[in-house]
Amino acid sequence: MGRALIVEADGGSRGNPGVAGYGALVRDRRTRAVLWEGAAPLGKASNNVAEYSGLIAGLRAVRRIDPGADVEVRMDSKLVVEQMAGRWKIKHEDMRRLALEARDELAELSRAGGSVRFTWIPREENKAADALSNTGMDGRTVDRMVRSPQAADAGVDEAVEAAADEIIDAEPTPSFGAEVPPDLGAPTRVLLVRHGVTDFTVASRLDGRGGADPSLNATGQAQAEAAGRATAHLLGGSPARVVTSSLTRARETGAVVAHAIGATPEVDADFDEQDFGDWDGATIADLVRDHPDELAALRNDPAYARPGGESHEELAARVIAAFGRVVAAGGTTVVVCHRKPIMVVLAHLLQIPHETVWRLAAAPGSLTAVEVWADGNASIAFTNRT
């Protein structure tokens, strides 16, 4: 038997659907001490979607604290409680998807020896989670271990804040400039969008910043339009800049995305795809057949460059500089670029070594969201969403 914990969760939408956010917290059931609290914006969504999102966040926090815990989930949403208890059917597609995510979390807890039961509570008994959900609707993200599990389990009333938090580090190392104090305020939000496909993409041809620079094909245009709709839905009317690479496929995708959110795109060529030199336009199949060793070097050696092209190290230097400028600008920015620049940003934030960077996926038309605080800490909200 693990620890006895309580999850309190809520969500809200200003408009239903409208600007939405969730809030959740985890308490020690014996002492009632808060161990973790979280909140996040959801863009445009319904109340019920936000409530399910709060539930999932709370269950994931339980897994971080004690996956074998005995958990009571307390919510003022009769709908979520009854649906998760299996007494009410789930008809709405978005809620069905989220309910499956929640049940996956329940299954993980069960496999670890934990258990979960659901309790409906009146709204006035769920004020803490409700306040956190309003924080999310205000556009702020919170992911904070409030007390160390050991201190709360011992019944200590005044525990020090834990430093094992995934977001806030006890001694943060800034990534983008001078030393600054730890920041708990609103982060800079960056939405990375990969361009739609071209005929080169479909044919698996290398197409870097020094290549043929083709336009989107019909499929790529449809992917750009879908990315624009997804971006508008995610932002929920909140303002954002749009920055694109200088290559045609990114500028065309960026124009569609910018139109969807009422913005004017800007161009930053430092977000361009890698320059593949004399291999620009070559198919991967031909390179695998005729130049396997050189292709392996291009993939695995960050210092390797083709004649007339650039190395991964050179690509990374300019992309990270461009990303730093976006972060320094603050607010929310949509960056429309290419697979390798997106990989570079994620590898930079997650400190992923070059030998495993290719495991990061970024499909054409996909969205990847990151948040960066002034102290250099960062959170990857989601990746490769299409």
Side-chain angles (χ1 to χ4, degrees):
M1 176 68 70
R3 301 184 61 180
L5 302 176
I6 293 172
V7 170
E8 298 172 13
D10 201 4
S13 172
R14 294 167 182 165
N16 198 27
V19 175
Y22 71 76
L25 55 94
V26 178
R27 296 184 188 273
D28 182 281
R29 194 187 306 164
R30 182 170 62 85
T31 67
R32 288 302 196 268
V34 175
L35 306 179
W36 171 88
E37 57 187 14
L42 295 170
K44 186 177 181 181
S46 68
N47 282 332
N48 295 141
V49 165
E51 288 163 344
Y52 263 109
S53 299
L55 167 63
I56 292 167
L59 293 174
R60 287 175 177 166
V62 166
R63 288 177 59 195
R64 289 161 58 186
I65 295 168
D66 182 357
D70 175 34
V71 182
E72 179 188 10
V73 174
R74 296 163 58 86
M75 300 182 68
D76 61 45
S77 171
K78 189 77 169 175
L79 180 77
V80 174
V81 169
E82 293 297 323
Q83 286 179 342
M84 291 306 299
R87 292 186 288 269
W88 290 6
K89 291 183 179 179
I90 307 174
K91 297 180 180 180
H92 193 280
E93 182 61 33
D94 286 343
M95 285 191 288
R96 189 155 47 235
R97 172 180 57 81
L98 289 167
L100 288 173
E101 286 188 38
R103 284 172 179 152
D104 286 343
E105 294 298 323
L106 298 180
E108 290 293 331
L109 292 168
S110 178
R111 278 192 284 271
S115 63
V116 180
R117 66 182 185 277
F118 290 84
T119 302
W120 176 84
I121 57 174
R123 189 173 188 82
E124 57 268 21
E125 295 181 19
N126 205 30
K127 290 182 178 179
D130 177 71
L132 285 164
S133 72
N134 275 283
T135 297
M137 284 184 275
D138 289 340
R140 293 178 55 204
T141 299
V142 177
D143 183 358
R144 183 164 55 235
M145 286 291 178
V146 180
R147 297 173 181 239
S148 69
Q150 294 82 5
D153 194 46
V156 177
D157 291 330
E158 298 297 333
V160 296
E161 290 194 356
D165 197 312
E166 289 183 358
I167 302 293
I168 304 166
D169 190 28
E171 297 180 358
T173 302
S175 300
F176 303 110
E179 293 286 342
V180 291
D183 175 32
L184 304 183
T188 296
R189 295 186 172 87
V190 184
L191 185 66
L192 300 163
V193 179
R194 186 182 173 190
H195 63 82
V197 299
T198 69
D199 289 340
F200 272 51
T201 317
V202 174
S204 297
R205 292 184 180 275
L206 292 180
D207 187 19
R209 72 188 311 193
D213 196 21
S215 295
L216 299 174
N217 61 20
T219 300
Q221 186 67 30
Q223 290 169 333
E225 291 168 359
R229 290 192 298 270
T231 299
H233 176 81
L234 186 67
L235 294 178
S238 299
R241 299 167 59 223
V242 175
V243 176
T244 79
S245 92
S246 70
L247 301 183
T248 299
R249 56 196 183 274
R251 288 189 288 107
E252 290 176 342
T253 302
V256 174
V257 172
H259 178 74
I261 65 172
T264 300
E266 309 164 30
V267 172
D268 187 339
D270 281 345
F271 280 113
D272 286 359
E273 182 58 281
Q274 184 175 358
D275 190 334
F276 298 111
D278 62 347
W279 274 1
D280 260 313
T283 68
I284 297 298
D286 287 344
L287 296 176
V288 169
R289 183 187 65 242
D290 300 331
H291 304 282
D293 294 339
E294 295 97 324
L295 182 61
L298 182 68
R299 182 184 180 94
N300 300 320
D301 182 355
Y304 179 85
R306 292 300 303 167
E310 64 182 339
S311 68
H312 180 86
E313 289 177 342
E314 293 168 324
L315 163 74
R318 61 175 169 83
V319 169
I320 292 170
F323 183 70
R325 292 192 292 272
V326 167
V327 170
T332 300
T333 301
V334 181
V335 177
V336 184
C337 57
H338 310 265
R339 185 188 179 194
K340 286 208 71 177
I342 293 171
M343 290 166 53
V344 165
V345 170
L346 292 177
H348 171 64
L349 295 177
L350 296 173
Q351 300 180 10
I352 296 174
H354 184 75
E355 56 266 26
T356 56
V357 72
W358 287 98
R359 297 176 185 176
L360 295 168
S366 65
L367 278 61
T368 294
V370 304
E371 298 177 324
V372 182
W373 281 261
D375 60 5
N377 284 299
S379 173
I380 312 301
F382 58 80
T383 66
N384 198 33
R385 180 175 295 178
T386 58

